[in-house]
Amino acid sequence: MDIFLIILSVLFMVVGLLGCILPALPGPPLSYVGFLLLHFTDKVQFSTTKIWALLALVVIAQVIDYFIPVLGSKYSGGTKWGSWGAFIGSVVGLFFLPWGLLLGPFLGAVVGELLGDADMKSALKSGTGALLGFILGTVLKVALCMYFIVLLIQALI
């Protein structure tokens, strides 16, 4: 049974890592399921604190993933128009894969700023901040999924 759980754990973690880039798959939650499957083997046992702490990190990563483009837009000089545009663009971008993932937050922030009567230079700056926020969110999710893979490798060694 342990071998079956370990194989499933590996599959969930690999698919979770892919899910950090492919929007149809929730990356960190899938990697967390792989982590839990590994916990239920006789090979390794994680503390309750670690299990709950990693669950909290997964929830935070998922929430941040939607809001970090908004913060990127805001902190690059955007207004609430750009922030809302980045959020809406992130959601709409999910329907236009794969380019919608990158262009959604950027275009949303730009269009939002233009609707709010900003000049093109300010709108592009806000859009760039949203895009950088999206990239940062993706890097954070990849880092978390890689940590789950490191735990898997340590358990198997």
Side-chain angles (χ1 to χ4, degrees):
M1 186 65 164
D2 280 351
I3 293 173
F4 176 72
L5 289 174
I6 289 171
I7 291 170
L8 266 178
S9 178
V10 168
L11 288 174
F12 269 93
M13 289 190 190
V14 169
V15 171
L17 186 59
L18 291 173
C20 293
I21 301 191
L22 303 171
L25 301 171
L30 288 173
S31 289
Y32 184 76
V33 169
F35 165 76
L36 285 179
L37 289 171
L38 186 62
H39 172 72
F40 291 120
T41 66
D42 292 333
K43 185 82 174 147
V44 64
Q45 297 296 308
F46 299 106
S47 70
T48 305
T49 304
K50 188 170 209 157
I51 292 171
W52 284 106
L54 288 174
L55 177 61
L57 285 176
V58 166
V59 169
I60 290 168
Q62 290 301 107
V63 171
I64 283 176
D65 189 44
Y66 285 101
F67 291 105
I68 203 164
V70 173
L71 294 174
S73 171
K74 179 180 177 183
Y75 287 114
S76 64
T79 64
K80 66 178 179 178
W81 287 91
S83 295
W84 275 107
F87 178 74
I88 292 168
S90 295
V91 173
V92 171
L94 295 175
F95 297 103
F96 299 98
L97 300 175
W99 295 107
L101 289 176
L102 289 172
L103 294 177
F106 175 78
L107 292 176
V110 170
V111 169
E113 290 293 341
L114 292 174
L115 288 174
D117 293 327
D119 60 280
M120 183 58 85
K121 183 179 177 182
S122 298
L124 289 173
K125 187 176 176 185
S126 177
T128 302
L131 178 62
L132 291 175
F134 170 78
I135 292 169
L136 177 63
T138 301
V139 168
L140 290 173
K141 290 190 311 183
V142 167
L144 182 57
C145 289
M146 289 302 294
Y147 179 67
F148 284 123
I149 290 172
V150 166
L151 290 175
L152 172 74
I153 291 168
Q154 286 176 343
L156 297 178
I157 292 179

